[in-house]
Every structure is written in structure tokens, then in C-alpha cells.
Amino acid sequence: MVMDMNKSPADHETSVNCPVGLDSPCVRPGYKQTEVGVIPEDWDAKKLGELASFRTGPFGSALHKSDYTNDGVPIVNPMHIVDSQILPTRTMTITESAATKLNEFRLNPGDVVIGRRGGMGRCAVVQHTHNGWLCGTGSMIVRPSAWVDAEFIQRVLSSPTIIFAIENTSVGSTMINLNQSTLRELVVQAPPLPEQRAIATALSDVDALLTKLEKLIAKKRDLKQAAMQQLLTGQMRLPGFGGEWEVKRLGDVGCFLKGSGIRKDESLSGDLPCVRYGEIYTKHSEYIKTFYSWISPQAAVTARQIKQGDLLFSGSGETKEEIGKCVAFVNDTEAYAGSDIVILRPEHSSPIFFGYYLNTAPINRQKASRGQGDAVVHISAMALADIEIKLPKFEEQTAIATVLFDMDAEITALESRRDKTRALKQGMMQELLTGRIRLI
């Protein structure tokens, strides 16, 4: 599959000299203005009712409590449509005898099932593995005609432009309710069937790449968790290291300080980076990679400056299980810590090692046992200082930190590639579904 990328969409748009003062938009050669915007001349703009038939799922009254079973015929409702796929479900099934009475609502391979209530854009093509499943009350069957590709229609119905159009014309004040008349009157772009299939294939190829990346990221995360479990407990030793780890109290490795200042209204008041306690839970993991709050020099006067190598604990939280999450500050830059942050400034220790180690399950259990309070849980520097730890020598700390840091870097690179691929997919959908870029 090849895209004509010799000219960008912007290049094409400026390739025509548009007379000044015309009321109608200027359309480049080979394209035409339609109700759905500018599309290629060999495409049509048609009402969806001309391209497909529809059937709304049965009302709940069509079934009785006795019809439901634990392992029967699955019913597909919007909650079962995720990322353009129908998830396997055994949480909502009915007996075969009950399903037989509802045969008109059976799903066939090549149908498109779309959610009618909430979450517009939830739609998926029915695969052979879903043959005979039932369209639920909250869903609708879109059955494409013979000259319409189901995968292409699914892409159109899940595109931002069409979702916006559906939401603007659907009924319901608190929850949008999509009906057949809305879909029938919806005007969509309709390329020739071969091009529909080509567009659907190109987008499916990107989806397949995204799926592979997600699986690879999940695998790398599992490997990292396994490595942490073994390396941070001494179950597995890196080559060249041996001997017993030393048992200490956390207070033995350095001195504790307390963060201060930085009100919420000061968190974006300047250019000096800072860390607020809530960000430790929501933004950071093991070590600080970037900053999300910036304060003015005036606010910094009352805040605590942190130094490279400091360990930052959240001193407040909602539950004892999460109290005292730790992140390492490894940046060589001026930065500050707000109130409700407890700071440990260790001596001759690897901060990245501690960033991983101090969030392991054995340490978290000790932090939880020392948390104080119910609605809001607190942990003090004195309580943290009493936590028992087992430490390898500095050289082994550094070696372990390097292994885990490199694994993190690999995961981050894969996540960046995934995010760029997602953005590429969104761009491709916009360009391909409007015909601004054609497939050769």
C-alpha cells in the first residue's frame, strides 16, 4: 500500500490560485465541495441510510430474569466495545432458547455494532468469533450493503468529525441516545469500494503495529517487575557481587528534612521547578524525569530547596497502603519541595537505587504500619527513619540501579514510539477518510 506523499495537503491546497472575493470556497482540481466538505471528484457524499440498514437492539422487556445464565449466548452492549473491538464477555449472556426468540437481533460477521447510549464512537466490526451473538438494548446493528466495506464504515463512524455530527443530532439531555433516524440521515463520504478497502487496510496495519507495541511494552514492564523483585531483595546477584547485605534503619543512611511553602496558587507562578506532594502520587515514578509545577523567586523564599540525590516522600495520602511513596531527585538543577513532603538526604548512596527499593512491597508494608490518621493519612520523618532496610554496598546499588534504569529507558522509548504511532494514525484517518491523501 503506497500513499501519494509527493505533496503535503498544505501544498495541494496552495497549488491553485484562488480569485479574491469569491463567496464559495476555492477547490483544487480533482476535488469537489460537498455536504461533508471537500472530497475527491470520484467520491460520493451519501446518507448512511443509502449505504446500510439498521436494527436497534431489543428492549429489556423482551427478556426475563430466568433467561439469563452464566455461560450462554453473549449480549453486546456499549461497555463491551473497547478500542474498536468486541471484548469476549461472559458477564451478560442468555440461554440459547431465549436467544432463538430474538434471532432478528443476531450479529453476523461483517455487521458493524455501534453503541447508542453514551460514549459515541464505540463501534466495531463483527468478526466470525462473534457470529450469533446478540445486539444488546444499548446497541444498534449497522448492516452495510454489498458495495460498502464494513471496516471502512466502522472507521468513518468512529472518526471525530462523525462523532461530533452524531452528538449534535442525537436526542437526550443527560445522556445522548442514538436512534436509527439519526444514522439514516447522517451524510458520510463514500469512496469506490476498492478504495474503501485500501483505506481500511492501511489503518488496520497501523492498528496491528499499535497492538504489537502495546504487547511489547507490557512484556517489558513484566520483565522489569521480575528484575526488581529479584535484584532489590538480593534473590539474584549481578556478576561480581557477593556477601551479605547490611541491615540498617532508614535514618542511618542520611538526614531528614521537611518540605515547606508553595501554595496551590503559587504552583505556576514562575520559572523555578518544584515538586508538590500530590504529584509524587500522580506524576512521578521512582525518580523525577520532568517537572509539572514552577514557582517564582518570591515563592521559593519560603520553600525548601532540594539537592541532587535527595529522596522525596509524600507525607500525606488517602490510604495507609499508599502513604510515603518515594521518588529520587537526580537532576542537577535548582528545584524546590513543597509542604507535606519529607526529604531524606542520603550519604554515599545511589538515589536511583533507593527510588526503586523504597517502593517495594516489604518497605511499603512498613510505611503502611506507621501511617497515622483515617480520612487523611500522615507519615512523619521519625516514622520513616525507623523503617528497616537491607542494603548492598554502594557499588552494587549503582549496578542494580543501572540495570533497572536501562530497562526503564527501553520502556520509555517504546512508549514514545507508541504515542507517535497513535498520532500518526489520527493524522492518517483525517487525511485518508477525507481523500486529501490518496492511496495508490
Side-chain angles (χ1 to χ4, degrees):
M1 198 65 61
V2 180
M3 284 188 286
D4 183 1
M5 298 295 286
N6 292 327
K7 289 187 177 182
S8 69
D11 293 332
H12 286 306
E13 296 295 344
T14 56
S15 64
V16 178
N17 294 320
C18 302
V20 178
L22 289 180
D23 293 332
S24 59
C26 183
V27 179
R28 59 192 170 101
Y31 287 76
K32 60 186 178 183
Q33 182 70 44
T34 70
E35 191 173 342
V36 294
V38 177
I39 60 174
E41 286 184 340
D42 56 336
W43 288 24
D44 292 319
K46 290 183 173 291
K47 291 182 179 180
L48 193 58
E50 301 177 66
L51 308 178
S53 61
F54 311 93
R55 182 169 292 280
T56 303
F59 292 104
S61 58
L63 294 170
H64 303 286
K65 187 176 181 179
S66 59
D67 293 328
Y68 291 90
T69 183
N70 292 328
D71 191 21
V73 179
I75 297 175
V76 178
N77 275 317
M79 69 186 77
H80 305 123
I81 305 171
V82 180
D83 293 334
S84 302
Q85 294 183 350
I86 301 173
L87 297 182
T89 175
R90 294 296 171 189
T91 59
M92 186 177 292
T93 65
I94 61 174
T95 63
E96 182 61 45
S97 59
T100 300
K101 300 174 185 177
L102 300 171
N103 275 337
E104 60 186 306
F105 303 104
R106 296 269 194 176
L107 299 175
N108 301 323
D111 288 346
V112 176
V113 60
I114 184 170
R116 296 195 305 115
R117 299 175 184 168
M120 291 297 104
R122 284 179 179 260
C123 59
V125 176
V126 177
Q127 307 298 328
H128 287 284
T129 52
H130 312 129
N131 187 32
W133 290 20
L134 281 169
C135 177
T137 304
S139 303
M140 186 188 303
I141 302 171
V142 179
R143 191 155 285 159
S145 62
W147 58 279
V148 176
D149 182 74
E151 297 283 351
F152 175 80
I153 285 297
Q154 186 276 326
R155 299 289 181 178
V156 171
L157 291 175
S158 59
S159 65
T161 303
I162 297 302
I163 292 173
F164 179 77
I166 290 174
E167 290 176 341
N168 275 355
T169 54
S170 296
V171 298
S173 54
T174 57
M175 179 179 287
I176 294 175
N177 194 348
L178 176 63
N179 57 38
Q180 292 189 29
S181 61
T182 297
L183 279 184
R184 284 196 188 95
E185 296 300 312
L186 189 68
V187 180
V188 300
Q189 57 273 38
L193 181 58
E195 193 165 3
Q196 292 179 35
R197 290 172 174 163
I199 292 170
T201 299
L203 294 174
S204 293
D205 289 345
V206 182
D207 278 340
L209 175 58
L210 282 170
T211 299
K212 288 182 180 178
L213 287 171
E214 291 286 10
K215 289 181 179 179
L216 183 57
I217 290 169
K219 180 180 178 181
K220 296 293 183 182
R221 285 175 178 163
D222 289 342
L223 289 173
K224 175 193 165 185
Q225 288 301 316
M228 288 176 62
Q229 173 64 29
Q230 294 179 320
L231 292 174
L232 295 175
T233 59
Q235 295 177 23
M236 181 177 72
R237 309 294 289 275
L238 293 174
F241 297 101
E244 295 293 323
W245 287 15
E246 187 177 2
V247 178
K248 291 185 175 184
R249 299 289 173 183
L250 193 54
D252 297 333
V253 303
C255 64
F256 279 93
L257 305 166
K258 190 77 170 67
S260 62
I262 310 179
R263 301 188 310 270
K264 184 176 181 179
D265 61 349
E266 295 175 325
S267 61
L268 294 175
S269 61
D271 299 320
L272 297 174
C274 75
V275 180
R276 302 173 66 224
Y277 86 95
E279 294 168 351
I280 293 178
Y281 289 118
T282 60
K283 303 291 187 181
H284 302 296
S285 180
E286 287 121 5
Y287 54 92
I288 295 171
K289 301 175 184 176
T290 188
F291 295 96
Y292 301 91
S293 296
W294 306 82
I295 60 174
S296 65
Q298 292 77 16
V301 171
T302 58
R304 170 74 69 177
Q305 185 172 355
I306 52 179
K307 296 183 179 180
Q308 186 178 27
D310 282 353
L311 304 171
L312 279 58
F313 299 84
S314 183
S316 298
E318 295 182 357
T319 67
K320 290 184 178 181
E321 288 71 26
E322 69 177 11
I323 191 65
K325 182 182 175 184
C326 177
V327 294
F329 176 62
V330 297
N331 309 68
D332 184 16
T333 187
E334 179 182 357
Y336 295 83
S339 58
D340 276 338
I341 291 179
V342 180
I343 304 165
L344 173 58
R345 189 160 289 166
E347 298 177 359
H348 196 60
S349 299
S350 166
I352 293 182
F353 170 85
F354 272 105
Y356 290 108
Y357 176 66
L358 293 178
N359 292 310
T360 57
I363 302 299
N364 285 341
R365 284 194 292 269
Q366 292 189 65
K367 288 187 284 190
S369 69
R370 290 164 171 78
Q372 299 293 321
D374 295 316
V376 178
V377 183
H378 300 278
I379 192 166
S380 66
M382 184 178 297
L384 288 168
D386 194 45
I387 288 176
E388 184 180 278
I389 57 176
K390 291 183 179 180
L391 285 183
K393 294 185 181 302
F394 174 74
E395 293 74 17
E396 190 171 359
Q397 291 179 32
T398 302
I400 292 172
T402 299
V403 170
L404 298 177
F405 184 88
D406 289 346
M407 296 180 83
D408 262 340
E410 186 178 9
I411 292 171
T412 298
L414 287 170
E415 289 173 338
S416 176
R417 184 182 172 194
R418 175 202 61 196
D419 294 342
K420 289 178 180 177
T421 304
R422 281 179 180 164
L424 172 65
K425 175 188 169 183
Q426 291 302 313
M428 284 179 63
M429 284 184 65
Q430 175 64 23
E431 301 300 308
L432 292 176
L433 293 177
T434 59
R436 294 182 67 184
I437 290 179
R438 307 293 297 275
L439 294 172
I440 299 174

